[in-house]
Amino acid sequence: MRLVTWNVNSIRLRLDGLRRINEEWRPDLVCLQETKVADPLFPREALAEMGFAHLAVLGQKGYNGVAIASRLPLDDVHSRSWCGRDDCRHLIATVGGIDVHCLYVPAGGDLPDPEVNDKFAHKLAFLEEVTAWFATVDPARPMVLMGDLNVAPLETDVWSHKQMLKVVSHTPVETGRLAALQASAGWIDAVRQFIPPEERLYTWWSYRAADWQASNRGRRLDHVWVSRPLAPRLASAQVVRQTRGWQPPSDHVPVIVDIRPI
DNA sequence: ATGGTGGATGCTCCA
């Protein structure tokens, strides 16, 4: 089974990109973040034409929004809300006996100080709540957690570890909270099973760079994690870097993981 | 130290 996660930054502007991904990589299931559209306006038909007969959406006007598109039936579709907000960041479905969590963690604003930046405080509280909840989930279940986690955990997940230590997405408090989330249900970083942690790897490049490829100041913000029972079934992982150069591009690129059948 | 771009929206917020 081929799984893809992609922060599309508007699904309606990324339909051609998704068609290209679909034709070239043939995913069985796609988790989308930042769909930026209310559910009645979601382009359901376009995804059905790509072969995604099963679709779960959780969107709102203008901001956030997640979706799961699948060739295989989705069971027990539901969502969770965190920090007392209904901001469309966590969608859950079961496919082929695997619980799929599509997650969009708050970006956290600019200043990495929860005392002066409410968005950063929200991000930290969000990670803490999700962690506490996953600690109550049975880690023996086959589960996948995929999405834009908005944290680059490893030194090799940013262009400059030293310069990024005070930049939101790579501060010690965030990488610490992400490590706690990873430990909560014994999650395994599927991508780093195939691309060694010593190797630099990014999934996001800012729109603000004059030349994203030349400066290459990326971050690995998008992740695919699996629970212990799925670890022996991991077959491959890849980051589709070249989509950053497609027109019009998302600032995030897709991450693909293949899981063998039992 | 600063501003840079892109998306949705509606004269600004968010990333």
Side-chain angles (χ1 to χ4, degrees):
Chain A
M1 183 161 53
R2 171 159 282 183
L3 311 174
V4 173
T5 182
W6 194 15
N7 177 323
V8 287
N9 189 15
S10 169
I11 184 59
R12 289 176 289 185
L13 275 188
R14 222 62 66 202
L15 284 174
D16 280 338
L18 191 59
R19 285 186 191 101
R20 256 179 104 170
I21 287 289
N22 190 44
E23 281 160 26
E24 213 166 320
W25 284 273
R26 284 279 146 196
D28 296 297
L29 180 145
V30 182
C31 285
L32 303 168
Q33 301 86 37
E34 281 206 90
T35 52
K36 290 187 172 178
V37 64
D39 294 347
L41 296 176
F42 194 99
R44 292 178 157 269
E45 194 145 320
L47 272 78
E49 284 166 5
M50 292 179 218
F52 299 113
H54 309 275
L55 183 66
V57 296
L58 178 68
Q60 64 189 86
K61 186 177 176 178
Y63 308 112
N64 309 324
V66 287
I68 301 175
S70 176
R71 298 190 200 288
L72 307 164
L74 298 173
D75 300 316
D76 193 22
V77 173
H78 60 292
S79 63
R80 298 202 68 87
S81 59
W82 304 105
C83 303
R85 307 188 192 196
D86 292 319
D87 53 359
C88 303
R89 295 178 180 275
H90 191 175
L91 190 55
I92 307 162
T94 303
V95 58
I98 298 173
D99 296 339
V100 174
H101 292 265
C102 179
L103 188 65
Y104 175 48
V105 173
D110 288 330
L111 292 170
D113 180 351
E115 299 295 324
V116 298
N117 175 6
D118 290 343
K119 292 177 192 168
F120 194 69
H122 177 223
K123 182 179 196 175
L124 297 182
F126 185 100
L127 287 167
E128 198 167 43
E129 273 192 28
V130 173
T131 298
W133 181 75
F134 270 119
T136 69
V137 170
D138 179 6
R141 288 182 71 84
M143 301 186 288
V144 180
L145 169 58
M146 52 207 307
D148 176 4
L149 305 188
N150 264 317
V151 179
L154 306 180
E155 295 191 12
T156 49
D157 291 336
V158 291
W159 65 277
S160 166
H161 169 64
K162 195 179 168 196
Q163 285 181 253
M164 288 289 297
L165 279 170
K166 290 180 179 174
V167 175
V168 171
S169 71
H170 194 62
T171 63
V173 62
E174 290 169 274
T175 54
R177 298 253 168 143
L178 198 73
L181 175 57
Q182 198 170 346
S184 67
W187 294 108
I188 292 153
D189 183 338
V191 175
R192 285 305 192 181
Q193 303 302 301
F194 298 94
I195 301 165
E198 297 76 27
E199 196 173 309
R200 285 196 190 278
L201 185 64
Y202 313 137
T203 65
W204 175 90
W205 291 261
S206 171
Y207 282 127
R208 297 179 190 179
D211 183 335
W212 70 274
Q213 230 165 348
S215 59
N216 196 27
R217 295 187 170 189
R219 308 175 195 173
R220 187 170 73 108
L221 303 178
D222 303 272
H223 301 273
V224 179
W225 293 351
V226 299
S227 63
R228 181 69 56 184
L230 290 181
R233 292 170 56 186
L234 285 171
S236 70
Q238 59 190 306
V239 171
V240 193
R241 178 186 172 103
Q242 62 266 36
T243 69
R244 185 62 179 79
W246 292 359
Q247 294 302 323
S250 170
D251 45 354
H252 295 254
V253 302
V255 181
I256 303 178
V257 164
D258 291 315
I259 296 176
R260 289 187 208 94
I262 302 168

Short mmCIF file of all heavy atoms in Angstrom, two decimals, chain A residues 22-70:
data_model
loop_
_atom_site.label_atom_id
_atom_site.label_comp_id
_atom_site.label_asym_id
_atom_site.label_seq_id
_atom_site.Cartn_x
_atom_site.Cartn_y
_atom_site.Cartn_z
N ASN A 22 -0.52 11.70 -8.84
CA ASN A 22 -1.32 10.49 -8.98
C ASN A 22 -0.88 9.66 -10.19
O ASN A 22 -0.77 8.44 -10.10
CB ASN A 22 -2.79 10.88 -9.10
CG ASN A 22 -3.71 9.69 -9.01
OD1 ASN A 22 -3.52 8.83 -8.16
ND2 ASN A 22 -4.70 9.64 -9.89
N GLU A 23 -0.61 10.35 -11.29
CA GLU A 23 -0.21 9.61 -12.50
C GLU A 23 1.17 8.98 -12.36
O GLU A 23 1.40 7.87 -12.81
CB GLU A 23 -0.24 10.55 -13.72
CG GLU A 23 -1.66 10.76 -14.24
CD GLU A 23 -1.79 12.02 -15.10
OE1 GLU A 23 -0.77 12.45 -15.67
OE2 GLU A 23 -2.90 12.56 -15.16
N GLU A 24 2.07 9.69 -11.73
CA GLU A 24 3.45 9.22 -11.66
C GLU A 24 3.70 8.26 -10.50
O GLU A 24 4.51 7.34 -10.63
CB GLU A 24 4.39 10.42 -11.55
CG GLU A 24 5.71 10.18 -12.25
CD GLU A 24 6.49 11.48 -12.44
OE1 GLU A 24 5.86 12.52 -12.76
OE2 GLU A 24 7.70 11.44 -12.25
N TRP A 25 3.01 8.45 -9.38
CA TRP A 25 3.32 7.65 -8.19
C TRP A 25 2.18 6.74 -7.74
O TRP A 25 2.37 5.91 -6.88
CB TRP A 25 3.78 8.55 -7.03
CG TRP A 25 5.20 9.01 -7.22
CD1 TRP A 25 6.33 8.36 -6.84
CD2 TRP A 25 5.64 10.22 -7.84
NE1 TRP A 25 7.44 9.09 -7.19
CE2 TRP A 25 7.05 10.24 -7.81
CE3 TRP A 25 4.97 11.29 -8.44
CZ2 TRP A 25 7.81 11.27 -8.34
CZ3 TRP A 25 5.73 12.33 -8.96
CH2 TRP A 25 7.13 12.31 -8.91
N ARG A 26 1.00 6.91 -8.29
CA ARG A 26 -0.13 6.02 -8.03
C ARG A 26 -0.35 5.70 -6.55
O ARG A 26 -0.34 4.51 -6.17
CB ARG A 26 0.05 4.71 -8.81
CG ARG A 26 -0.26 4.84 -10.28
CD ARG A 26 -1.74 4.79 -10.54
NE ARG A 26 -2.07 5.67 -11.68
CZ ARG A 26 -3.31 6.07 -11.95
NH1 ARG A 26 -4.32 5.70 -11.20
NH2 ARG A 26 -3.55 6.87 -12.97
N PRO A 27 -0.53 6.68 -5.71
CA PRO A 27 -0.76 6.38 -4.30
C PRO A 27 -2.11 5.69 -4.09
O PRO A 27 -3.06 5.93 -4.85
CB PRO A 27 -0.74 7.75 -3.63
CG PRO A 27 -1.06 8.72 -4.72
CD PRO A 27 -0.51 8.13 -5.98
N ASP A 28 -2.19 4.84 -3.08
CA ASP A 28 -3.47 4.23 -2.71
C ASP A 28 -4.25 5.15 -1.78
O ASP A 28 -5.47 5.10 -1.72
CB ASP A 28 -3.22 2.89 -2.01
CG ASP A 28 -2.58 1.89 -2.96
OD1 ASP A 28 -3.23 1.55 -3.95
OD2 ASP A 28 -1.41 1.50 -2.72
N LEU A 29 -3.49 5.98 -1.05
CA LEU A 29 -4.13 6.88 -0.09
C LEU A 29 -3.30 8.15 0.04
O LEU A 29 -2.08 8.08 0.07
CB LEU A 29 -4.25 6.18 1.27
CG LEU A 29 -4.91 6.95 2.41
CD1 LEU A 29 -5.72 6.03 3.29
CD2 LEU A 29 -3.85 7.68 3.25
N VAL A 30 -3.98 9.29 0.08
CA VAL A 30 -3.30 10.57 0.21
C VAL A 30 -3.88 11.34 1.38
O VAL A 30 -5.09 11.53 1.48
CB VAL A 30 -3.47 11.42 -1.08
CG1 VAL A 30 -2.71 12.74 -0.95
CG2 VAL A 30 -2.99 10.66 -2.30
N CYS A 31 -3.00 11.80 2.28
CA CYS A 31 -3.39 12.71 3.36
C CYS A 31 -3.01 14.12 2.94
O CYS A 31 -1.86 14.38 2.58
CB CYS A 31 -2.67 12.35 4.65
SG CYS A 31 -3.32 10.88 5.47
N LEU A 32 -3.98 15.01 2.98
CA LEU A 32 -3.76 16.40 2.57
C LEU A 32 -3.90 17.33 3.76
O LEU A 32 -4.76 17.11 4.63
CB LEU A 32 -4.78 16.80 1.50
CG LEU A 32 -4.82 15.93 0.24
CD1 LEU A 32 -6.05 16.27 -0.59
CD2 LEU A 32 -3.55 16.13 -0.58
N GLN A 33 -3.05 18.36 3.79
CA GLN A 33 -3.19 19.40 4.81
C GLN A 33 -3.26 20.77 4.13
O GLN A 33 -2.82 20.92 3.00
CB GLN A 33 -2.00 19.39 5.79
CG GLN A 33 -1.81 18.08 6.54
CD GLN A 33 -0.97 17.10 5.74
OE1 GLN A 33 -0.02 17.50 5.07
NE2 GLN A 33 -1.31 15.82 5.80
N GLU A 34 -3.77 21.73 4.88
CA GLU A 34 -4.00 23.09 4.37
C GLU A 34 -4.82 23.07 3.08
O GLU A 34 -4.44 23.70 2.08
CB GLU A 34 -2.69 23.86 4.20
CG GLU A 34 -2.15 24.41 5.51
CD GLU A 34 -1.28 25.63 5.33
OE1 GLU A 34 -1.84 26.74 5.35
OE2 GLU A 34 -0.06 25.49 5.16
N THR A 35 -5.94 22.36 3.14
CA THR A 35 -6.83 22.32 1.98
C THR A 35 -7.52 23.68 1.77
O THR A 35 -7.90 24.03 0.66
CB THR A 35 -7.89 21.22 2.16
OG1 THR A 35 -8.52 21.40 3.44
CG2 THR A 35 -7.24 19.85 2.09
N LYS A 36 -7.69 24.43 2.85
CA LYS A 36 -8.20 25.81 2.78
C LYS A 36 -9.54 25.95 2.08
O LYS A 36 -9.74 26.90 1.31
CB LYS A 36 -7.16 26.73 2.13
CG LYS A 36 -5.93 26.97 2.99
CD LYS A 36 -5.03 28.03 2.38
CE LYS A 36 -3.90 28.41 3.34
NZ LYS A 36 -3.00 29.39 2.74
N VAL A 37 -10.44 25.01 2.36
CA VAL A 37 -11.75 25.10 1.72
C VAL A 37 -12.81 24.47 2.63
O VAL A 37 -12.55 23.47 3.29
CB VAL A 37 -11.72 24.42 0.33
CG1 VAL A 37 -11.44 22.92 0.44
CG2 VAL A 37 -13.02 24.65 -0.42
N ALA A 38 -13.97 25.10 2.67
CA ALA A 38 -15.10 24.54 3.42
C ALA A 38 -15.58 23.27 2.73
O ALA A 38 -15.50 23.16 1.49
CB ALA A 38 -16.22 25.57 3.52
N ASP A 39 -16.10 22.33 3.50
CA ASP A 39 -16.45 21.01 2.95
C ASP A 39 -17.36 21.05 1.72
O ASP A 39 -17.13 20.29 0.77
CB ASP A 39 -17.06 20.14 4.05
CG ASP A 39 -16.03 19.80 5.14
OD1 ASP A 39 -14.83 20.04 4.90
OD2 ASP A 39 -16.43 19.34 6.21
N PRO A 40 -18.39 21.89 1.69
CA PRO A 40 -19.28 21.87 0.50
C PRO A 40 -18.58 22.29 -0.78
O PRO A 40 -19.04 21.98 -1.88
CB PRO A 40 -20.39 22.88 0.87
CG PRO A 40 -20.34 22.99 2.35
CD PRO A 40 -18.90 22.78 2.74
N LEU A 41 -17.46 23.01 -0.65
CA LEU A 41 -16.74 23.49 -1.83
C LEU A 41 -15.54 22.61 -2.18
O LEU A 41 -14.81 22.90 -3.13
CB LEU A 41 -16.27 24.94 -1.62
CG LEU A 41 -17.39 25.97 -1.46
CD1 LEU A 41 -16.82 27.34 -1.16
CD2 LEU A 41 -18.26 26.02 -2.72
N PHE A 42 -15.32 21.54 -1.41
CA PHE A 42 -14.18 20.66 -1.69
C PHE A 42 -14.36 20.01 -3.07
O PHE A 42 -15.44 19.52 -3.39
CB PHE A 42 -14.06 19.58 -0.61
CG PHE A 42 -12.74 18.85 -0.63
CD1 PHE A 42 -11.73 19.19 0.24
CD2 PHE A 42 -12.50 17.82 -1.55
CE1 PHE A 42 -10.50 18.54 0.22
CE2 PHE A 42 -11.28 17.16 -1.58
CZ PHE A 42 -10.28 17.51 -0.69
N PRO A 43 -13.30 19.99 -3.89
CA PRO A 43 -13.41 19.43 -5.24
C PRO A 43 -13.45 17.90 -5.24
O PRO A 43 -12.52 17.23 -5.68
CB PRO A 43 -12.16 19.96 -5.95
CG PRO A 43 -11.17 20.18 -4.86
CD PRO A 43 -11.96 20.58 -3.65
N ARG A 44 -14.56 17.36 -4.75
CA ARG A 44 -14.71 15.91 -4.60
C ARG A 44 -14.64 15.19 -5.94
O ARG A 44 -14.03 14.13 -6.06
CB ARG A 44 -16.07 15.60 -3.95
CG ARG A 44 -16.18 16.05 -2.52
CD ARG A 44 -17.56 15.74 -1.95
NE ARG A 44 -17.46 15.67 -0.50
CZ ARG A 44 -17.21 14.55 0.18
NH1 ARG A 44 -17.07 13.40 -0.46
NH2 ARG A 44 -17.11 14.57 1.50
N GLU A 45 -15.27 15.78 -6.93
CA GLU A 45 -15.35 15.12 -8.23
C GLU A 45 -13.97 14.96 -8.86
O GLU A 45 -13.66 13.91 -9.44
CB GLU A 45 -16.25 15.94 -9.16
CG GLU A 45 -16.67 15.18 -10.39
CD GLU A 45 -18.10 15.54 -10.82
OE1 GLU A 45 -18.97 15.70 -9.95
OE2 GLU A 45 -18.31 15.69 -12.03
N ALA A 46 -13.13 16.00 -8.72
CA ALA A 46 -11.78 15.93 -9.29
C ALA A 46 -11.00 14.78 -8.67
O ALA A 46 -10.26 14.07 -9.36
CB ALA A 46 -11.06 17.26 -9.07
N LEU A 47 -11.15 14.58 -7.37
CA LEU A 47 -10.42 13.48 -6.72
C LEU A 47 -11.02 12.13 -7.10
O LEU A 47 -10.28 11.16 -7.28
CB LEU A 47 -10.38 13.68 -5.20
CG LEU A 47 -9.18 14.52 -4.77
CD1 LEU A 47 -9.38 16.00 -5.01
CD2 LEU A 47 -8.81 14.27 -3.32
N ALA A 48 -12.35 12.10 -7.27
CA ALA A 48 -12.97 10.84 -7.70
C ALA A 48 -12.46 10.45 -9.09
O ALA A 48 -12.18 9.29 -9.36
CB ALA A 48 -14.50 11.00 -7.71
N GLU A 49 -12.29 11.46 -9.95
CA GLU A 49 -11.77 11.19 -11.30
C GLU A 49 -10.34 10.67 -11.28
O GLU A 49 -9.91 9.99 -12.21
CB GLU A 49 -11.86 12.45 -12.17
CG GLU A 49 -13.28 12.73 -12.64
CD GLU A 49 -13.44 14.15 -13.22
OE1 GLU A 49 -12.43 14.87 -13.33
OE2 GLU A 49 -14.59 14.52 -13.52
N MET A 50 -9.61 11.01 -10.23
CA MET A 50 -8.24 10.48 -10.09
C MET A 50 -8.25 9.04 -9.57
O MET A 50 -7.20 8.42 -9.45
CB MET A 50 -7.43 11.36 -9.13
CG MET A 50 -7.13 12.74 -9.65
SD MET A 50 -6.19 13.72 -8.43
CE MET A 50 -6.93 15.33 -8.63
N GLY A 51 -9.42 8.56 -9.19
CA GLY A 51 -9.50 7.19 -8.69
C GLY A 51 -9.68 7.09 -7.20
O GLY A 51 -9.73 5.99 -6.64
N PHE A 52 -9.78 8.24 -6.55
CA PHE A 52 -10.00 8.24 -5.09
C PHE A 52 -11.50 8.22 -4.82
O PHE A 52 -12.14 9.24 -4.63
CB PHE A 52 -9.32 9.43 -4.44
CG PHE A 52 -7.83 9.44 -4.66
CD1 PHE A 52 -7.23 10.41 -5.44
CD2 PHE A 52 -7.03 8.44 -4.11
CE1 PHE A 52 -5.86 10.41 -5.66
CE2 PHE A 52 -5.66 8.43 -4.32
CZ PHE A 52 -5.08 9.42 -5.10
N ALA A 53 -12.04 7.01 -4.79
CA ALA A 53 -13.48 6.84 -4.64
C ALA A 53 -13.94 7.12 -3.22
O ALA A 53 -15.13 7.34 -2.99
CB ALA A 53 -13.86 5.42 -5.05
N HIS A 54 -13.00 7.10 -2.29
CA HIS A 54 -13.35 7.28 -0.87
C HIS A 54 -12.65 8.52 -0.35
O HIS A 54 -11.43 8.65 -0.46
CB HIS A 54 -12.96 6.04 -0.08
CG HIS A 54 -13.50 4.77 -0.70
ND1 HIS A 54 -14.78 4.31 -0.45
CD2 HIS A 54 -12.96 3.93 -1.61
CE1 HIS A 54 -14.99 3.21 -1.16
NE2 HIS A 54 -13.91 2.96 -1.88
N LEU A 55 -13.44 9.42 0.18
CA LEU A 55 -12.90 10.73 0.56
C LEU A 55 -13.48 11.16 1.90
O LEU A 55 -14.69 11.11 2.11
CB LEU A 55 -13.27 11.75 -0.52
CG LEU A 55 -12.73 13.16 -0.35
CD1 LEU A 55 -11.21 13.18 -0.45
CD2 LEU A 55 -13.34 14.07 -1.43
N ALA A 56 -12.57 11.59 2.78
CA ALA A 56 -12.99 12.19 4.06
C ALA A 56 -12.43 13.59 4.12
O ALA A 56 -11.23 13.79 3.88
CB ALA A 56 -12.47 11.35 5.23
N VAL A 57 -13.26 14.57 4.40
CA VAL A 57 -12.80 15.96 4.43
C VAL A 57 -13.18 16.61 5.76
O VAL A 57 -14.21 16.31 6.35
CB VAL A 57 -13.37 16.80 3.26
CG1 VAL A 57 -12.86 16.26 1.93
CG2 VAL A 57 -14.89 16.84 3.29
N LEU A 58 -12.30 17.49 6.20
CA LEU A 58 -12.56 18.28 7.41
C LEU A 58 -11.96 19.65 7.14
O LEU A 58 -10.77 19.88 7.34
CB LEU A 58 -11.90 17.62 8.63
CG LEU A 58 -12.06 18.36 9.95
CD1 LEU A 58 -13.52 18.34 10.42
CD2 LEU A 58 -11.16 17.78 11.03
N GLY A 59 -12.80 20.54 6.63
CA GLY A 59 -12.27 21.82 6.18
C GLY A 59 -13.02 23.00 6.78
O GLY A 59 -14.05 22.85 7.43
N GLN A 60 -12.46 24.18 6.55
CA GLN A 60 -13.09 25.42 6.95
C GLN A 60 -12.69 26.46 5.92
O GLN A 60 -11.77 26.25 5.12
CB GLN A 60 -12.61 25.84 8.35
CG GLN A 60 -11.12 26.15 8.43
CD GLN A 60 -10.63 26.36 9.85
OE1 GLN A 60 -10.27 25.43 10.54
NE2 GLN A 60 -10.62 27.62 10.27
N LYS A 61 -13.39 27.57 5.95
CA LYS A 61 -13.13 28.62 4.97
C LYS A 61 -11.78 29.29 5.22
O LYS A 61 -11.52 29.76 6.32
CB LYS A 61 -14.26 29.65 5.07
CG LYS A 61 -14.23 30.75 4.05
CD LYS A 61 -15.46 31.65 4.23
CE LYS A 61 -15.43 32.83 3.27
NZ LYS A 61 -16.65 33.66 3.44
N GLY A 62 -10.93 29.30 4.21
CA GLY A 62 -9.72 30.13 4.28
C GLY A 62 -8.48 29.54 4.91
O GLY A 62 -7.38 29.75 4.39
N TYR A 63 -8.63 28.83 6.03
CA TYR A 63 -7.45 28.36 6.76
C TYR A 63 -7.50 26.85 7.02
O TYR A 63 -8.57 26.23 7.02
CB TYR A 63 -7.35 29.05 8.14
CG TYR A 63 -7.43 30.53 8.08
CD1 TYR A 63 -8.53 31.20 8.61
CD2 TYR A 63 -6.42 31.28 7.49
CE1 TYR A 63 -8.62 32.57 8.55
CE2 TYR A 63 -6.49 32.64 7.43
CZ TYR A 63 -7.60 33.29 7.96
OH TYR A 63 -7.67 34.65 7.89
N ASN A 64 -6.34 26.30 7.29
CA ASN A 64 -6.22 24.91 7.78
C ASN A 64 -6.93 23.93 6.85
O ASN A 64 -6.99 24.14 5.66
CB ASN A 64 -6.77 24.80 9.22
CG ASN A 64 -6.15 25.84 10.12
OD1 ASN A 64 -4.98 26.16 9.98
ND2 ASN A 64 -6.92 26.36 11.06
N GLY A 65 -7.49 22.88 7.43
CA GLY A 65 -8.22 21.90 6.64
C GLY A 65 -7.37 20.68 6.32
O GLY A 65 -6.23 20.79 5.88
N VAL A 66 -7.95 19.49 6.57
CA VAL A 66 -7.29 18.22 6.25
C VAL A 66 -8.26 17.34 5.48
O VAL A 66 -9.48 17.54 5.54
CB VAL A 66 -6.80 17.50 7.54
CG1 VAL A 66 -5.59 18.21 8.13
CG2 VAL A 66 -7.92 17.41 8.59
N ALA A 67 -7.69 16.36 4.75
CA ALA A 67 -8.52 15.43 3.99
C ALA A 67 -7.76 14.13 3.81
O ALA A 67 -6.52 14.12 3.82
CB ALA A 67 -8.89 16.02 2.63
N ILE A 68 -8.52 13.04 3.68
CA ILE A 68 -7.94 11.74 3.35
C ILE A 68 -8.65 11.23 2.10
O ILE A 68 -9.88 11.10 2.10
CB ILE A 68 -8.09 10.72 4.50
CG1 ILE A 68 -7.42 11.24 5.78
CG2 ILE A 68 -7.49 9.37 4.10
CD1 ILE A 68 -7.63 10.34 7.00
N ALA A 69 -7.87 10.97 1.04
CA ALA A 69 -8.43 10.45 -0.21
C ALA A 69 -7.86 9.06 -0.42
O ALA A 69 -6.66 8.85 -0.27
CB ALA A 69 -8.05 11.35 -1.38
N SER A 70 -8.74 8.11 -0.77
CA SER A 70 -8.29 6.72 -0.81
C SER A 70 -8.94 5.94 -1.94
O SER A 70 -10.09 6.20 -2.31
CB SER A 70 -8.63 6.06 0.54
OG SER A 70 -8.31 4.69 0.53
#
